[in-house]
Amino acid sequence: MEVKVAQCTERLRRQEKEIKFLTAEIDHLKNTEGLGVSPILEGLREENAKLKYRLNILQKSLQEERNKGKPSKGMININSHLQDIFGMAIKTAYPELENPPLLVTPSQQPKFGDYQCNSAMSITQILLKTKEQKVSPRDIADKIARNIPDNECIEKVEIAGPGFINVHLKKNFVSRQLSNMLINGVQPPAIGERKKVVIDFSSPNIAKEMHVGHLRSTIIGESMCRLFEFVGYDVLRLNHLGDWGTQFGMLIAHLQDKFPDYLIVSPPIGDLQAFYKESKRRFDTEEEFKKRAYQCVVLLQSKNPDFLKAWKLICDVSRKEFQKIYDCLDITLIERGESYYQDMMADIVKEFEEQGFVQVDDGRKIVFVPGCSIPLTVVKSDGGFTYDTSDLAALKQRLFEEKADIIIYVVDSGQAVHLQTIFAASQMIGWYDPKVTRVVHAAFGVVLGEDKKKFKTRSGDTVRLIELLEEGLKRSMDKLKEKERDKVVLSPEELKAAQTSVAFGCIKYADLSHNRINDYIFSFDKMLDDRGNTAAYLLYAFTRIRSIARLASIDEGTLQKSARTTQIILDHEKEWKLGKCILRFPEILQKILDDLLLHTLCDYLYELATTFTEFYDNCYCVEKDRQTGKIVTVNMWRMLLCEATAAVMAKCFDILGIKPVQKM
């Protein structure tokens, strides 16, 4: 290996020297006048571009030689790999084009190969506009195809239609990738440097119960965290609780009246929602109580110990209720509510004032942001701070103290204007550059009832989230009993595990499988249906796949050993289709990292399950004697395809926050 590294290094040195010489020649010719120079200059440029391309190949070869014996455990993103290959081919074929269009997608039909490069048509338009050259897309596609470098994944390419390049993958390449995945486990693809990601989600209000409106933020945010953690990013999961503000004045005043000894004896507040409603009614109807509530706010904000204790007591009651929800849904969060940023707010206002962005309007201090219709109010006329101030303080803390590279707010679409104004103000004052730091609002629509109106109880109240989860558990058990799973199939412990898996899995999947930007209709009947793209169907499909090896008496150790010794054969069209589908997993993850739309993962999971069904219906994994029912043959390469499918499905479930069970 050392000899190969030395040879590569020497060739690299010679190539770099030649490029340096050619670059100097080009610079000299640029300054030379006279006929006949332009064609020579063009020729040198083309030669130089080809040398740079070869240099790129040599550098990759050198890296591969150095890495031999240290193979990457991560799955390969085949689409990205093909983009690299076609990027080199286009650069070699058309060195004069800067940032040429690069479009590689999976083929929709097997007759068009496995992937398609569709760049030729765009290059035709560019050549016509910039160089007034009229070249047919087919000729361009042909030139690109002739310049494809040697690689381990492409079997052949074909030019089709007006200039599509159909790509056929090598079967041994796909087989090798599947074997690597089985040996190393489902590992994330390489995604570059490790980044710090802050995700702000859930964010209920203290003293109010979590309702169905909090469901989407909590579920979507958790899943995003799991995705970014899986690919290796450093994720900070923040719960931006509404734990500060004028409402605490009325709550503390009511606490003093109802539980006067609260400083000595912990008050037995059983129903915080009722407690909140009582205090609100008094605030709206009793003038004396209202005045005292305002005094309580002032004392709380001045950090009076007795009032801080009252505030903490109220917050603790809420926390316990929130945690019941988080435990049910397996949600992990770090609490960092509005109170955390209180001491930072005066400095935020001062910074905006010093840069001349603050105007006084009727006693308020406001900030106008270019391109935004509504100004931010950073100080109220009574001198108090606002949500605008706390949100600016939170964003600055995440940028400068957490040093976040990516900040995601999983907040409903109704907050879009507010958040866009906060982001724009932060850019205006110079806190971050959107080209460097990604700050994004991952907006979502509302939950609708089956009448397509906002999801409410029959009495018109907001649906309490804990009641929704309890109803899910009840319906899940009813469904399992309807299928008589409680009689012979499952033990009591297995039945309980299946009930929880189906109930909470179905609620999560019903949300995540819809485009988060749209509203979605909440229907227990649809989400518990074990047909179609539902968690119920996918969980059943997963347990069936896992049972194939168990029923054939093949344990995990045997599968692991076979993964190292058995080649995965992909001769049958359904084997080939399934193998490629499994390996698209990294492409799906990359797309979601880019657009934060998790329904893509649900669509992929459903496609994988249905593709497996096609494979299983057409390809015998275990062959039995028709008379005795005894196993005659186990086709181990197909058992490995079953295992690979289950492994990727398990990772999809994990990212979606769904817990499958071994038996259902």
Side-chain angles (χ1 to χ4, degrees):
M1 193 187 83
E2 289 301 319
V3 175
K4 282 194 175 182
V5 169
Q7 286 172 343
C8 273
T9 307
E10 178 57 28
R11 285 172 67 195
L12 203 57
R13 189 187 62 76
R14 287 202 306 269
Q15 206 88 297
E16 284 171 337
K17 195 173 177 182
E18 200 169 342
I19 287 170
K20 198 173 179 182
F21 171 75
L22 269 176
T23 305
E25 281 292 300
I26 289 167
D27 289 341
H28 171 70
L29 280 170
K30 276 182 189 172
N31 301 320
T32 305
E33 292 186 5
L35 295 171
V37 171
S38 291
I40 298 168
L41 188 60
E42 200 59 44
L44 282 173
R45 278 182 176 146
E46 191 164 334
E47 184 62 28
N48 202 22
K50 286 180 179 176
L51 278 172
K52 282 181 178 175
Y53 156 68
R54 288 183 197 133
L55 177 66
N56 196 328
I57 295 291
L58 271 173
Q59 285 170 333
K60 286 202 169 188
S61 299
L62 181 59
Q63 195 59 45
E64 283 169 12
E65 286 298 330
R66 283 178 175 154
N67 287 339
K68 273 189 178 169
K70 302 183 289 183
S72 169
K73 290 186 176 182
M75 293 179 75
I76 289 176
N77 182 333
I78 294 174
N79 197 317
S80 291
H81 193 47
L82 289 171
Q83 284 184 32
D84 289 343
I85 290 167
F86 277 97
M88 291 177 193
I90 292 167
K91 200 68 187 166
T92 308
Y94 296 97
E96 70 278 14
L97 293 183
E98 282 189 33
N99 300 316
L102 187 59
L103 186 62
V104 178
T105 58
S107 294
Q108 298 303 308
Q109 295 181 46
K111 66 180 179 181
F112 298 133
D114 306 310
Y115 285 82
Q116 282 185 330
C117 175
N118 301 331
S119 299
M121 285 72 80
S122 300
I123 292 173
T124 299
Q125 297 300 318
I126 292 168
L127 291 175
L128 190 61
K129 283 180 185 174
T130 61
K131 299 190 177 291
E132 296 184 351
Q133 293 178 10
K134 196 170 182 181
V135 189
S136 82
R138 278 191 74 93
D139 290 343
I140 290 170
D142 184 61
K143 192 173 181 183
I144 293 168
R146 283 188 278 110
N147 282 282
I148 291 172
D150 289 340
N151 60 84
E152 81 272 335
C153 63
I154 297 176
E155 180 70 40
K156 65 175 180 176
V157 296
E158 297 165 337
I159 315 298
F164 301 115
I165 304 174
N166 294 340
V167 180
H168 297 261
L169 297 176
K170 290 180 179 175
K171 285 189 177 173
N172 64 352
F173 168 76
V174 172
S175 175
R176 202 163 59 246
Q177 298 312 312
L178 290 167
S179 295
N180 288 344
M181 191 203 80
L182 285 163
I183 292 165
N184 299 314
V186 181
Q187 301 293 334
I191 48 145
E193 62 178 307
R194 191 168 190 247
K195 292 183 178 179
K196 176 71 176 279
V197 184
V198 173
I199 302 182
D200 176 329
F201 68 107
S202 193
S203 309
N205 291 313
I206 293 292
K208 291 183 180 179
E209 281 194 284
M210 288 180 76
H211 55 77
V212 73
H214 295 109
L215 183 67
R216 299 208 75 184
S217 177
T218 305
I219 289 171
I220 295 166
E222 173 69 24
S223 190
M224 282 186 189
C225 290
R226 287 168 178 254
L227 172 62
F228 280 96
E229 286 164 350
F230 174 62
V231 298
Y233 286 165
D234 176 15
V235 179
L236 179 61
R237 304 152 156 263
L238 290 185
N239 196 2
H240 190 77
L241 288 177
D243 67 349
W244 200 255
T246 53
Q247 75 271 26
F248 282 94
M250 67 182 192
L251 289 165
I252 292 169
H254 191 51
L255 181 73
Q256 289 171 332
D257 292 346
K258 200 163 184 180
F259 305 104
D261 58 350
Y262 74 91
L263 290 169
I264 304 158
V265 181
S266 184
I269 305 173
D271 188 343
L272 197 57
Q273 186 84 343
F275 186 85
Y276 180 88
K277 284 179 178 177
E278 286 169 18
S279 65
K280 183 74 170 73
R281 180 186 53 76
R282 291 186 68 192
F283 184 83
D284 291 339
T285 59
E286 300 175 25
E287 198 57 38
E288 192 58 39
F289 180 83
K290 191 174 191 175
K291 284 179 188 173
R292 197 153 55 86
Y294 281 129
Q295 289 168 355
C296 289
V297 172
V298 173
L299 288 164
L300 175 63
Q301 290 179 342
S302 63
K303 307 285 178 70
N304 179 294
D306 289 353
F307 287 80
L308 275 176
K309 181 166 185 181
W311 170 71
K312 284 177 182 173
L313 283 168
I314 292 164
C315 288
D316 284 343
V317 175
S318 274
R319 277 191 199 99
K320 286 173 187 171
E321 293 304 309
F322 297 158
Q323 198 55 49
K324 289 176 187 174
I325 304 283
Y326 296 145
D327 288 344
C328 279
L329 296 174
D330 195 20
I331 308 293
T332 306
L333 281 154
I334 291 171
E335 183 187 312
R336 198 174 284 177
E338 291 165 19
S339 61
Y340 182 88
Y341 306 100
Q342 287 306 301
D343 295 340
M344 307 173 194
M345 293 194 200
D347 289 340
I348 294 293
V349 176
K350 186 181 175 185
E351 187 176 348
F352 274 87
E353 284 177 327
E354 286 172 350
Q355 294 207 32
F357 292 127
V358 174
Q359 297 179 28
V360 178
D361 176 62
D362 200 20
R364 299 179 306 148
K365 290 184 178 181
I366 61 174
V367 175
F368 282 97
V369 183
C372 299
S373 55
I374 302 169
L376 296 172
T377 300
V378 291
V379 181
K380 294 186 289 187
S381 57
D382 64 3
F385 299 121
T386 67
Y387 288 126
D388 293 347
T389 332
S390 66
D391 282 340
L392 286 167
L395 181 51
K396 186 177 183 186
Q397 191 275 337
R398 292 161 187 183
L399 288 164
F400 289 90
E401 290 183 29
E402 301 301 341
K403 296 181 168 45
D405 301 295
I406 302 169
I407 304 173
I408 301 167
Y409 289 77
V410 187
V411 182
D412 70 87
S413 300
Q415 297 295 314
V417 172
H418 167 70
L419 285 173
Q420 291 312 316
T421 310
I422 294 289
F423 300 164
S426 304
Q427 291 169 48
M428 178 179 76
I429 204 166
W431 289 349
Y432 77 96
D433 178 353
K435 291 175 185 171
V436 178
T437 307
R438 184 182 179 193
V439 181
V440 61
H441 175 204
F444 55 85
V446 298
V447 183
L448 304 175
E450 293 189 71
D451 58 0
K452 297 187 180 176
K453 294 178 182 175
K454 212 165 181 180
F455 196 29
K456 300 270 187 185
T457 62
R458 285 181 183 175
S459 61
D461 293 331
T462 304
V463 178
R464 295 170 67 216
L465 195 43
I466 194 72
E467 289 176 357
L468 189 79
L469 298 179
E470 287 167 357
E471 178 69 11
L473 285 168
K474 178 186 173 298
R475 292 200 183 215
S476 169
M477 182 59 81
D478 290 346
K479 191 80 175 176
L480 289 164
K481 286 182 175 178
E482 181 188 308
K483 292 179 171 291
E484 300 188 340
R485 294 293 194 272
D486 57 321
K487 293 189 177 172
V488 287
V489 181
L490 302 175
S491 68
E493 293 78 17
E494 288 169 339
L495 184 68
K496 179 73 177 168
Q499 176 197 21
T500 306
S501 173
V502 171
F504 300 146
C506 286
I507 290 170
K508 289 180 180 183
Y509 193 83
D511 192 316
L512 295 168
S513 60
H514 290 85
N515 186 324
R516 63 172 164 77
I517 295 164
N518 302 330
D519 299 341
Y520 91 96
I521 295 168
F522 191 97
S523 165
F524 272 123
D525 289 338
K526 285 180 183 174
M527 65 177 68
L528 289 166
D529 194 340
D530 54 9
R531 297 162 298 176
N533 189 6
T534 66
Y537 166 75
L538 292 165
L539 287 164
Y540 283 124
F542 178 78
T543 56
R544 282 197 300 272
I545 296 167
R546 279 283 191 227
S547 71
I548 295 166
R550 188 171 68 244
L551 294 172
S553 302
I554 297 170
D555 60 23
E556 199 174 319
T558 305
L559 285 168
Q560 273 294 305
K561 187 179 176 184
S562 297
R564 295 176 185 277
T565 56
T566 304
Q567 183 187 1
I568 296 174
I569 301 165
L570 302 166
D571 289 343
H572 194 287
E573 63 170 320
K574 300 301 181 185
E575 293 171 334
W576 180 236
K577 184 179 179 181
L578 179 60
K580 289 185 297 175
C581 187
I582 292 166
L583 295 182
R584 276 192 27 243
F585 181 56
E587 298 171 27
I588 300 299
L589 297 188
Q590 186 58 60
K591 184 180 183 303
I592 303 165
L593 290 170
D594 293 339
D595 63 23
L596 305 177
L597 295 172
L598 288 153
H599 70 275
T600 307
L601 184 61
C602 299
D603 291 343
Y604 168 74
L605 181 54
Y606 181 62
E607 181 189 346
L608 182 58
T610 53
T611 302
F612 178 84
T613 301
E614 286 180 33
F615 154 78
Y616 193 67
D617 289 346
N618 287 275
C619 303
Y620 289 116
C621 298
V622 178
E623 296 180 43
K624 295 180 179 179
D625 186 294
R626 290 187 179 179
Q627 259 115 37
T628 64
K630 287 185 179 178
I631 294 171
V632 177
T633 309
V634 174
N635 295 317
M636 191 53 78
W637 79 92
R638 288 176 176 165
M639 297 301 293
L640 292 174
L641 277 171
C642 296
E643 180 63 18
T645 304
V648 171
M649 286 185 76
K651 182 48 68 179
C652 290
F653 283 134
D654 183 53
I655 292 169
L656 296 170
I658 295 170
K659 288 183 176 178
V661 287
Q662 293 300 318
K663 290 178 77 177
M664 193 175 288

